[in-house]
Amino acid sequence: MGSKTVTFVRPTLRFSSGLPSPGRFGKSAILIHDRAISRHLKGFSAWVAKFPAAYGVEGGEALKDLNAFPAHMTRILALADRFSAKDLTIVVAGGGSVGDFGGFVASILKRGVQLVQIPSTWLSAIDSAHGGKTALNLGTVKNQIGTYYSAREVHLVRSVLLAQGPDRIRDALGELAKIALIDGGRRWAGLAKGNDTGAALLWKWLPEAIDAKYRVVVRDPYEQKRIRQVLNLGHTLGHILEAHYRLSHGVAVAQGLLFAVEWSRKKRLLSETAYEPVAELLYGRCGFRSLAGTPGFRPIPLRRFLALARSDKKRFSATRVTFIFLRKPGQTRLENVEIEAFAAEARAQGWLA
């Protein structure tokens, strides 16, 4: 018998000024939500109360701990037993960790039920709510357990996103800059030359950033052709910094972007002519600065760096990592580089002791 081809279906994107009516998700909807949202968004608790069932969680990497997952599922199954499996919908309102958790729940509950994502942070609205990846963590290693499971709808709610503080805005700039560099073209030019800042910048470019990500995802939804790997631009070092320094994901990606761009320039893959506008975007428009060498900075011990590099699930082999270099906005280059060469460049840029 021939193998069946699984087709990726792009979710319906719904942009709105306020939260959608709970009634639109039917009488068999379970809301998984970050309790923190109610602490800074007026009316959120009343909205939660209108769902047939709701399960509140605390966002963060601890939520994705595989060891804690059975207890969560026991409680969620108790809620799900009230409803018919064929009509069940999981609605997820939260940031990246809650989206990963809720998406994984929907993908395995009753062998898969309808999923709706309502990202509550700029970072998740730009990146993690799209593309169908779900994940749990195994020990200290992120995203080792997961599925590909696309949402039916993704709601981008302006009032929810504008309730985020300035730290969350800075968090999202790394992913926004990343997708602009990958996509190139008018998106890159418009972002690089625009004057908007802060939340206005993110809301204006949100549809473009999402569309740019899906332009990559639809060509390789299940990472079988290495096309989707370009979305890891800035993440190879970023994941190491995130784990070692406990940086937020967005800040770590921004640092990883600077590292990738400088290494690309050093290898002469990125010409000086192409480098100048890229540097203006990253250092000027986005205000990124390398943390390596700043007052109080402590470099990563080599052994720790190598252990984290080898534990990354995106590595190519035990001795090599797939690194994404930039040739120019809209053109990347994937190379399987020796981990020792990666470490040597990290030392040259000040990250290693």
mmCIF file of all heavy atoms in Angstrom, residues 15 122 125-126 156-158 161-162 169 172-173 176 179 186-212 285:
data_model
loop_
_atom_site.group_PDB
_atom_site.id
_atom_site.type_symbol
_atom_site.label_atom_id
_atom_site.label_comp_id
_atom_site.label_asym_id
_atom_site.label_seq_id
_atom_site.Cartn_x
_atom_site.Cartn_y
_atom_site.Cartn_z
ATOM 1 N N PHE A 15 -8.050 38.703 13.028
ATOM 2 C CA PHE A 15 -7.578 39.887 13.737
ATOM 3 C C PHE A 15 -8.785 40.634 14.290
ATOM 4 O O PHE A 15 -9.772 40.852 13.574
ATOM 5 C CB PHE A 15 -6.788 40.797 12.795
ATOM 6 C CG PHE A 15 -5.473 40.210 12.344
ATOM 7 C CD1 PHE A 15 -5.427 39.324 11.273
ATOM 8 C CD2 PHE A 15 -4.291 40.535 12.993
ATOM 9 C CE1 PHE A 15 -4.221 38.779 10.853
ATOM 10 C CE2 PHE A 15 -3.085 39.992 12.583
ATOM 11 C CZ PHE A 15 -3.049 39.116 11.517
ATOM 12 N N TRP A 122 3.310 39.163 22.460
ATOM 13 C CA TRP A 122 3.744 39.525 21.113
ATOM 14 C C TRP A 122 4.587 38.421 20.496
ATOM 15 O O TRP A 122 4.469 38.127 19.307
ATOM 16 C CB TRP A 122 4.548 40.823 21.160
ATOM 17 C CG TRP A 122 3.742 42.045 21.423
ATOM 18 C CD1 TRP A 122 3.755 42.808 22.568
ATOM 19 C CD2 TRP A 122 2.801 42.675 20.535
ATOM 20 N NE1 TRP A 122 2.875 43.869 22.443
ATOM 21 C CE2 TRP A 122 2.290 43.813 21.204
ATOM 22 C CE3 TRP A 122 2.357 42.385 19.250
ATOM 23 C CZ2 TRP A 122 1.346 44.661 20.613
ATOM 24 C CZ3 TRP A 122 1.416 43.220 18.659
ATOM 25 C CH2 TRP A 122 0.911 44.341 19.339
ATOM 26 N N ALA A 125 2.402 35.652 19.350
ATOM 27 C CA ALA A 125 1.565 36.114 18.237
ATOM 28 C C ALA A 125 2.344 36.147 16.931
ATOM 29 O O ALA A 125 1.804 35.868 15.862
ATOM 30 C CB ALA A 125 1.009 37.508 18.549
ATOM 31 N N ILE A 126 3.637 36.469 17.012
ATOM 32 C CA ILE A 126 4.474 36.520 15.819
ATOM 33 C C ILE A 126 4.940 35.129 15.407
ATOM 34 O O ILE A 126 5.000 34.803 14.226
ATOM 35 C CB ILE A 126 5.696 37.434 16.068
ATOM 36 C CG1 ILE A 126 5.262 38.886 16.099
ATOM 37 C CG2 ILE A 126 6.784 37.233 15.001
ATOM 38 C CD1 ILE A 126 6.364 39.853 16.504
ATOM 39 N N LEU A 156 -5.775 36.892 16.733
ATOM 40 C CA LEU A 156 -4.830 37.931 17.127
ATOM 41 C C LEU A 156 -5.636 39.102 17.652
ATOM 42 O O LEU A 156 -6.301 39.804 16.883
ATOM 43 C CB LEU A 156 -3.962 38.358 15.939
ATOM 44 C CG LEU A 156 -2.963 37.349 15.349
ATOM 45 C CD1 LEU A 156 -2.119 36.683 16.437
ATOM 46 C CD2 LEU A 156 -3.622 36.306 14.473
ATOM 47 N N VAL A 157 -5.586 39.292 18.969
ATOM 48 C CA VAL A 157 -6.483 40.231 19.647
ATOM 49 C C VAL A 157 -5.690 41.453 20.115
ATOM 50 O O VAL A 157 -4.820 41.353 20.987
ATOM 51 C CB VAL A 157 -7.183 39.558 20.836
ATOM 52 C CG1 VAL A 157 -8.174 40.519 21.487
ATOM 53 C CG2 VAL A 157 -7.894 38.277 20.380
ATOM 54 N N ARG A 158 -6.013 42.593 19.552
ATOM 55 C CA ARG A 158 -5.234 43.807 19.806
ATOM 56 C C ARG A 158 -5.251 44.195 21.282
ATOM 57 O O ARG A 158 -4.209 44.544 21.843
ATOM 58 C CB ARG A 158 -5.774 44.950 18.952
ATOM 59 C CG ARG A 158 -4.901 46.203 18.946
ATOM 60 C CD ARG A 158 -5.383 47.185 17.886
ATOM 61 N NE ARG A 158 -4.497 48.341 17.789
ATOM 62 C CZ ARG A 158 -4.641 49.453 18.494
ATOM 63 N NH1 ARG A 158 -5.671 49.567 19.341
ATOM 64 N NH2 ARG A 158 -3.788 50.453 18.364
ATOM 65 N N LEU A 161 -2.867 41.982 23.288
ATOM 66 C CA LEU A 161 -1.455 42.222 23.011
ATOM 67 C C LEU A 161 -0.992 43.580 23.532
ATOM 68 O O LEU A 161 0.133 43.706 24.041
ATOM 69 C CB LEU A 161 -1.193 42.103 21.516
ATOM 70 C CG LEU A 161 -1.463 40.704 20.939
ATOM 71 C CD1 LEU A 161 -1.360 40.719 19.420
ATOM 72 C CD2 LEU A 161 -0.508 39.678 21.528
ATOM 73 N N LEU A 162 -1.841 44.590 23.445
ATOM 74 C CA LEU A 162 -1.460 45.912 23.935
ATOM 75 C C LEU A 162 -1.362 45.964 25.456
ATOM 76 O O LEU A 162 -0.760 46.891 26.008
ATOM 77 C CB LEU A 162 -2.461 46.964 23.450
ATOM 78 C CG LEU A 162 -2.435 47.281 21.953
ATOM 79 C CD1 LEU A 162 -3.468 48.339 21.621
ATOM 80 C CD2 LEU A 162 -1.052 47.731 21.512
ATOM 81 N N ILE A 169 7.513 43.548 24.611
ATOM 82 C CA ILE A 169 7.746 44.162 23.303
ATOM 83 C C ILE A 169 9.177 43.890 22.865
ATOM 84 O O ILE A 169 9.437 43.482 21.721
ATOM 85 C CB ILE A 169 7.459 45.677 23.352
ATOM 86 C CG1 ILE A 169 5.960 45.919 23.566
ATOM 87 C CG2 ILE A 169 7.937 46.365 22.073
ATOM 88 C CD1 ILE A 169 5.596 47.371 23.774
ATOM 89 N N ALA A 172 9.760 40.394 21.569
ATOM 90 C CA ALA A 172 9.248 40.051 20.243
ATOM 91 C C ALA A 172 10.092 40.615 19.113
ATOM 92 O O ALA A 172 10.038 40.116 17.983
ATOM 93 C CB ALA A 172 7.808 40.547 20.104
ATOM 94 N N LEU A 173 10.887 41.633 19.397
ATOM 95 C CA LEU A 173 11.652 42.264 18.327
ATOM 96 C C LEU A 173 12.652 41.300 17.693
ATOM 97 O O LEU A 173 12.936 41.383 16.498
ATOM 98 C CB LEU A 173 12.377 43.507 18.859
ATOM 99 C CG LEU A 173 11.527 44.757 19.039
ATOM 100 C CD1 LEU A 173 12.358 45.874 19.674
ATOM 101 C CD2 LEU A 173 10.937 45.222 17.716
ATOM 102 N N LEU A 176 10.761 39.215 15.218
ATOM 103 C CA LEU A 176 10.327 40.051 14.094
ATOM 104 C C LEU A 176 11.505 40.341 13.164
ATOM 105 O O LEU A 176 11.381 40.233 11.934
ATOM 106 C CB LEU A 176 9.735 41.364 14.615
ATOM 107 C CG LEU A 176 9.213 42.338 13.548
ATOM 108 C CD1 LEU A 176 8.076 41.710 12.748
ATOM 109 C CD2 LEU A 176 8.763 43.650 14.174
ATOM 110 N N ILE A 179 12.463 37.081 11.122
ATOM 111 C CA ILE A 179 11.631 36.718 9.976
ATOM 112 C C ILE A 179 11.799 37.738 8.851
ATOM 113 O O ILE A 179 11.712 37.395 7.669
ATOM 114 C CB ILE A 179 10.146 36.553 10.388
ATOM 115 C CG1 ILE A 179 9.386 35.732 9.343
ATOM 116 C CG2 ILE A 179 9.473 37.885 10.641
ATOM 117 C CD1 ILE A 179 9.849 34.308 9.217
ATOM 118 N N ARG A 186 10.070 43.282 0.160
ATOM 119 C CA ARG A 186 9.429 44.511 0.635
ATOM 120 C C ARG A 186 9.219 44.507 2.137
ATOM 121 O O ARG A 186 9.197 45.553 2.773
ATOM 122 C CB ARG A 186 8.098 44.720 -0.096
ATOM 123 C CG ARG A 186 7.051 43.648 0.149
ATOM 124 C CD ARG A 186 5.791 43.905 -0.674
ATOM 125 N NE ARG A 186 4.777 42.891 -0.460
ATOM 126 C CZ ARG A 186 3.920 42.902 0.555
ATOM 127 N NH1 ARG A 186 3.961 43.880 1.453
ATOM 128 N NH2 ARG A 186 3.013 41.943 0.691
ATOM 129 N N ARG A 187 9.036 43.290 2.726
ATOM 130 C CA ARG A 187 8.849 43.231 4.169
ATOM 131 C C ARG A 187 10.109 43.728 4.871
ATOM 132 O O ARG A 187 10.061 44.506 5.810
ATOM 133 C CB ARG A 187 8.516 41.806 4.607
ATOM 134 C CG ARG A 187 7.159 41.318 4.149
ATOM 135 C CD ARG A 187 6.966 39.852 4.530
ATOM 136 N NE ARG A 187 5.639 39.370 4.183
ATOM 137 C CZ ARG A 187 5.295 38.932 2.995
ATOM 138 N NH1 ARG A 187 6.183 38.900 2.021
ATOM 139 N NH2 ARG A 187 4.069 38.510 2.754
ATOM 140 N N TRP A 188 11.236 43.239 4.404
ATOM 141 C CA TRP A 188 12.512 43.654 4.978
ATOM 142 C C TRP A 188 12.715 45.161 4.793
ATOM 143 O O TRP A 188 13.051 45.883 5.727
ATOM 144 C CB TRP A 188 13.646 42.867 4.316
ATOM 145 C CG TRP A 188 14.921 43.642 4.154
ATOM 146 C CD1 TRP A 188 15.397 44.202 3.018
ATOM 147 C CD2 TRP A 188 15.879 43.943 5.175
ATOM 148 N NE1 TRP A 188 16.592 44.830 3.255
ATOM 149 C CE2 TRP A 188 16.906 44.688 4.572
ATOM 150 C CE3 TRP A 188 15.963 43.654 6.524
ATOM 151 C CZ2 TRP A 188 18.000 45.151 5.281
ATOM 152 C CZ3 TRP A 188 17.063 44.117 7.229
ATOM 153 C CH2 TRP A 188 18.063 44.849 6.615
ATOM 154 N N ALA A 189 12.485 45.641 3.587
ATOM 155 C CA ALA A 189 12.713 47.054 3.288
ATOM 156 C C ALA A 189 11.804 47.950 4.123
ATOM 157 O O ALA A 189 12.238 48.971 4.662
ATOM 158 C CB ALA A 189 12.497 47.313 1.794
ATOM 159 N N GLY A 190 10.545 47.550 4.245
ATOM 160 C CA GLY A 190 9.596 48.365 5.002
ATOM 161 C C GLY A 190 9.927 48.424 6.476
ATOM 162 O O GLY A 190 9.848 49.479 7.109
ATOM 163 N N LEU A 191 10.303 47.299 7.052
ATOM 164 C CA LEU A 191 10.651 47.266 8.473
ATOM 165 C C LEU A 191 11.942 48.039 8.726
ATOM 166 O O LEU A 191 12.059 48.779 9.700
ATOM 167 C CB LEU A 191 10.806 45.821 8.942
ATOM 168 C CG LEU A 191 11.203 45.630 10.410
ATOM 169 C CD1 LEU A 191 10.145 46.213 11.335
ATOM 170 C CD2 LEU A 191 11.407 44.151 10.722
ATOM 171 N N ALA A 192 12.908 47.876 7.842
ATOM 172 C CA ALA A 192 14.202 48.519 8.039
ATOM 173 C C ALA A 192 14.113 50.040 7.950
ATOM 174 O O ALA A 192 14.855 50.754 8.631
ATOM 175 C CB ALA A 192 15.202 47.993 7.008
ATOM 176 N N LYS A 193 13.192 50.549 7.142
ATOM 177 C CA LYS A 193 13.132 51.993 6.893
ATOM 178 C C LYS A 193 12.011 52.702 7.647
ATOM 179 O O LYS A 193 11.924 53.925 7.618
ATOM 180 C CB LYS A 193 12.962 52.243 5.392
ATOM 181 C CG LYS A 193 14.139 51.758 4.550
ATOM 182 C CD LYS A 193 13.875 51.961 3.071
ATOM 183 C CE LYS A 193 15.032 51.422 2.224
ATOM 184 N NZ LYS A 193 14.781 51.572 0.776
ATOM 185 N N GLY A 194 11.126 51.962 8.309
ATOM 186 C CA GLY A 194 9.974 52.574 8.965
ATOM 187 C C GLY A 194 10.346 53.368 10.201
ATOM 188 O O GLY A 194 11.475 53.320 10.692
ATOM 189 N N ASN A 195 9.371 54.103 10.733
ATOM 190 C CA ASN A 195 9.585 54.946 11.919
ATOM 191 C C ASN A 195 8.768 54.501 13.128
ATOM 192 O O ASN A 195 8.926 55.058 14.211
ATOM 193 C CB ASN A 195 9.235 56.408 11.586
ATOM 194 C CG ASN A 195 10.145 56.992 10.519
ATOM 195 O OD1 ASN A 195 11.357 56.804 10.569
ATOM 196 N ND2 ASN A 195 9.559 57.685 9.544
ATOM 197 N N ASP A 196 7.885 53.527 12.951
ATOM 198 C CA ASP A 196 7.074 53.075 14.078
ATOM 199 C C ASP A 196 7.948 52.408 15.129
ATOM 200 O O ASP A 196 8.986 51.814 14.823
ATOM 201 C CB ASP A 196 6.017 52.068 13.601
ATOM 202 C CG ASP A 196 5.083 52.670 12.576
ATOM 203 O OD1 ASP A 196 4.279 53.518 12.959
ATOM 204 O OD2 ASP A 196 5.198 52.292 11.400
ATOM 205 N N THR A 197 7.525 52.485 16.376
ATOM 206 C CA THR A 197 8.251 51.844 17.471
ATOM 207 C C THR A 197 7.275 51.119 18.397
ATOM 208 O O THR A 197 6.063 51.327 18.324
ATOM 209 C CB THR A 197 9.036 52.879 18.302
ATOM 210 O OG1 THR A 197 8.113 53.836 18.853
ATOM 211 C CG2 THR A 197 10.074 53.593 17.462
ATOM 212 N N GLY A 198 7.821 50.271 19.269
ATOM 213 C CA GLY A 198 7.039 49.645 20.318
ATOM 214 C C GLY A 198 5.874 48.824 19.809
ATOM 215 O O GLY A 198 5.947 48.141 18.780
ATOM 216 N N ALA A 199 4.753 48.914 20.540
ATOM 217 C CA ALA A 199 3.572 48.122 20.213
ATOM 218 C C ALA A 199 3.001 48.490 18.846
ATOM 219 O O ALA A 199 2.489 47.621 18.130
ATOM 220 C CB ALA A 199 2.507 48.306 21.298
ATOM 221 N N ALA A 200 3.098 49.764 18.471
ATOM 222 C CA ALA A 200 2.590 50.179 17.156
ATOM 223 C C ALA A 200 3.353 49.489 16.037
ATOM 224 O O ALA A 200 2.771 49.062 15.032
ATOM 225 C CB ALA A 200 2.695 51.701 17.013
ATOM 226 N N LEU A 201 4.672 49.362 16.212
ATOM 227 C CA LEU A 201 5.505 48.665 15.231
ATOM 228 C C LEU A 201 5.092 47.207 15.114
ATOM 229 O O LEU A 201 4.920 46.680 14.005
ATOM 230 C CB LEU A 201 6.975 48.768 15.647
ATOM 231 C CG LEU A 201 7.969 47.869 14.909
ATOM 232 C CD1 LEU A 201 8.164 48.374 13.483
ATOM 233 C CD2 LEU A 201 9.307 47.821 15.637
ATOM 234 N N LEU A 202 4.919 46.543 16.253
ATOM 235 C CA LEU A 202 4.594 45.112 16.247
ATOM 236 C C LEU A 202 3.211 44.857 15.660
ATOM 237 O O LEU A 202 3.027 43.920 14.870
ATOM 238 C CB LEU A 202 4.688 44.557 17.665
ATOM 239 C CG LEU A 202 6.093 44.551 18.272
ATOM 240 C CD1 LEU A 202 6.029 44.110 19.726
ATOM 241 C CD2 LEU A 202 7.026 43.644 17.487
ATOM 242 N N TRP A 203 2.226 45.641 16.030
ATOM 243 C CA TRP A 203 0.867 45.422 15.501
ATOM 244 C C TRP A 203 0.820 45.682 13.999
ATOM 245 O O TRP A 203 0.186 44.943 13.251
ATOM 246 C CB TRP A 203 -0.148 46.306 16.230
ATOM 247 C CG TRP A 203 -1.552 46.084 15.762
ATOM 248 C CD1 TRP A 203 -2.299 46.903 14.982
ATOM 249 C CD2 TRP A 203 -2.380 44.936 16.020
ATOM 250 N NE1 TRP A 203 -3.543 46.354 14.745
ATOM 251 C CE2 TRP A 203 -3.617 45.150 15.379
ATOM 252 C CE3 TRP A 203 -2.191 43.754 16.750
ATOM 253 C CZ2 TRP A 203 -4.662 44.227 15.431
ATOM 254 C CZ3 TRP A 203 -3.241 42.837 16.798
ATOM 255 C CH2 TRP A 203 -4.454 43.075 16.151
ATOM 256 N N LYS A 204 1.533 46.712 13.547
ATOM 257 C CA LYS A 204 1.554 47.036 12.121
ATOM 258 C C LYS A 204 2.150 45.895 11.301
ATOM 259 O O LYS A 204 1.630 45.547 10.235
ATOM 260 C CB LYS A 204 2.365 48.313 11.891
ATOM 261 C CG LYS A 204 2.530 48.674 10.418
ATOM 262 C CD LYS A 204 3.355 49.951 10.255
ATOM 263 C CE LYS A 204 3.553 50.281 8.784
ATOM 264 N NZ LYS A 204 4.333 51.555 8.622
ATOM 265 N N TRP A 205 3.232 45.291 11.805
ATOM 266 C CA TRP A 205 3.952 44.281 11.045
ATOM 267 C C TRP A 205 3.547 42.855 11.383
ATOM 268 O O TRP A 205 4.066 41.905 10.786
ATOM 269 C CB TRP A 205 5.454 44.464 11.236
ATOM 270 C CG TRP A 205 5.948 45.644 10.483
ATOM 271 C CD1 TRP A 205 6.165 46.902 10.961
ATOM 272 C CD2 TRP A 205 6.208 45.711 9.083
ATOM 273 N NE1 TRP A 205 6.566 47.746 9.954
ATOM 274 C CE2 TRP A 205 6.604 47.037 8.782
ATOM 275 C CE3 TRP A 205 6.164 44.783 8.051
ATOM 276 C CZ2 TRP A 205 6.939 47.443 7.496
ATOM 277 C CZ3 TRP A 205 6.503 45.172 6.769
ATOM 278 C CH2 TRP A 205 6.872 46.496 6.494
ATOM 279 N N LEU A 206 2.613 42.696 12.309
ATOM 280 C CA LEU A 206 2.192 41.351 12.708
ATOM 281 C C LEU A 206 1.646 40.534 11.534
ATOM 282 O O LEU A 206 2.082 39.389 11.331
ATOM 283 C CB LEU A 206 1.169 41.449 13.843
ATOM 284 C CG LEU A 206 0.690 40.135 14.462
ATOM 285 C CD1 LEU A 206 1.867 39.337 15.014
ATOM 286 C CD2 LEU A 206 -0.327 40.419 15.579
ATOM 287 N N PRO A 207 0.706 41.044 10.731
ATOM 288 C CA PRO A 207 0.213 40.240 9.597
ATOM 289 C C PRO A 207 1.321 39.854 8.627
ATOM 290 O O PRO A 207 1.362 38.721 8.130
ATOM 291 C CB PRO A 207 -0.830 41.155 8.931
ATOM 292 C CG PRO A 207 -1.214 42.134 9.985
ATOM 293 C CD PRO A 207 0.014 42.352 10.809
ATOM 294 N N GLU A 208 2.244 40.782 8.360
ATOM 295 C CA GLU A 208 3.343 40.510 7.441
ATOM 296 C C GLU A 208 4.281 39.445 8.005
ATOM 297 O O GLU A 208 4.732 38.544 7.280
ATOM 298 C CB GLU A 208 4.137 41.796 7.183
ATOM 299 C CG GLU A 208 3.346 42.895 6.509
ATOM 300 C CD GLU A 208 3.305 42.718 5.003
ATOM 301 O OE1 GLU A 208 3.766 41.679 4.506
ATOM 302 O OE2 GLU A 208 2.799 43.627 4.311
ATOM 303 N N ALA A 209 4.580 39.530 9.309
ATOM 304 C CA ALA A 209 5.486 38.566 9.936
ATOM 305 C C ALA A 209 4.892 37.164 9.931
ATOM 306 O O ALA A 209 5.582 36.175 9.655
ATOM 307 C CB ALA A 209 5.798 39.000 11.373
ATOM 308 N N ILE A 210 3.600 37.075 10.229
ATOM 309 C CA ILE A 210 2.931 35.774 10.229
ATOM 310 C C ILE A 210 2.918 35.187 8.824
ATOM 311 O O ILE A 210 3.216 33.997 8.621
ATOM 312 C CB ILE A 210 1.493 35.915 10.777
ATOM 313 C CG1 ILE A 210 1.524 36.309 12.254
ATOM 314 C CG2 ILE A 210 0.728 34.603 10.595
ATOM 315 C CD1 ILE A 210 0.172 36.697 12.806
ATOM 316 N N ASP A 211 2.584 36.023 7.850
ATOM 317 C CA ASP A 211 2.536 35.546 6.473
ATOM 318 C C ASP A 211 3.912 35.063 6.011
ATOM 319 O O ASP A 211 4.030 34.040 5.328
ATOM 320 C CB ASP A 211 2.042 36.669 5.553
ATOM 321 C CG ASP A 211 1.852 36.208 4.120
ATOM 322 O OD1 ASP A 211 1.099 35.238 3.912
ATOM 323 O OD2 ASP A 211 2.469 36.795 3.219
ATOM 324 N N ALA A 212 4.962 35.789 6.412
ATOM 325 C CA ALA A 212 6.325 35.403 6.041
ATOM 326 C C ALA A 212 6.680 34.046 6.633
ATOM 327 O O ALA A 212 7.334 33.225 5.976
ATOM 328 C CB ALA A 212 7.316 36.463 6.510
ATOM 329 N N ARG A 285 17.678 50.261 14.518
ATOM 330 C CA ARG A 285 16.208 50.236 14.612
ATOM 331 C C ARG A 285 15.717 49.433 15.809
ATOM 332 O O ARG A 285 14.830 49.864 16.542
ATOM 333 C CB ARG A 285 15.657 49.611 13.327
ATOM 334 C CG ARG A 285 14.132 49.617 13.223
ATOM 335 C CD ARG A 285 13.708 50.626 12.197
ATOM 336 N NE ARG A 285 12.367 50.381 11.723
ATOM 337 C CZ ARG A 285 11.259 50.805 12.356
ATOM 338 N NH1 ARG A 285 11.354 51.428 13.512
ATOM 339 N NH2 ARG A 285 10.074 50.583 11.828
#
